[in-house]
Amino acid sequence: LQGQLAWYDPERHGLVPLGPLPPWQALAASLGVDWAEPPALVLFFAVQAQGTLAKYGERGGRFVLIETGTALAAVTLEATRQGLAGVPVASFQDAALLSLCGLAPATHGLALAAAFGPAPD
C-alpha cells in the first residue's frame, strides 16, 4: 500500500485502498508538520462519536478518546516489535484530512494522527 490511502474495515478486518496519497508537502501541511521526508506510515484515528455521546453524554467523548489512546498504544507496541518508532501528531487540520479520507465532518471526527518510521539507532 505504499503511496496509497487506505482505511481499516472492521467487518472484513483488513485494509481497503481508497486511492493515491497527495504529494507529501500537501499532506505534511494538513498534518501541521514540517518534515522534509515522509514517515513510513501515518495513521489517522477517525471516530464516529454520536452513538457514544447520545448514550453517555459528555462522558462519552472521554470514552472515545480513551479508546483511541488504547488503539494507539496497541499499534505502537506492534510497531516497536517491528523496529519502528512512532509519535502522535495533534497539529492536524481536521477538515482537510477528513476530506482526504472522503469523510464528512458532520458524521466523523479525527481524534488523533500518528506517524511511524524506522527507529533511530
Side-chain angles (χ1 to χ4, degrees):
L1 290 173
Q2 185 173 356
Q4 294 289 309
L5 180 65
W7 73 281
Y8 176 74
D9 181 351
E11 291 180 12
R12 297 188 345 206
H13 297 291
L15 293 176
V16 177
L18 295 176
L21 283 173
W24 171 243
Q25 288 73 23
L27 185 55
S30 293
L31 283 169
V33 299
D34 60 359
W35 306 331
E37 295 296 321
L41 172 69
V42 177
L43 295 177
F44 306 129
F45 292 84
V47 298
Q48 290 180 292
Q50 293 87 345
T52 305
L53 291 170
K55 184 172 183 176
Y56 297 106
E58 178 193 337
R59 203 169 32 146
R62 292 191 299 264
F63 293 158
V64 168
L65 294 177
I66 290 168
E67 291 294 329
T68 302
T70 301
L72 176 60
V75 169
T76 301
L77 283 171
E78 183 56 32
T80 301
R81 280 193 270 272
Q82 295 187 29
L84 299 173
V87 61
V89 178
S91 55
F92 53 83
Q93 298 172 356
D94 296 60
L97 293 178
L98 285 170
S99 176
L100 173 66
C101 297
L103 302 172
T107 57
H108 291 80
L110 281 182
L112 185 64
F116 295 87
D121 293 334

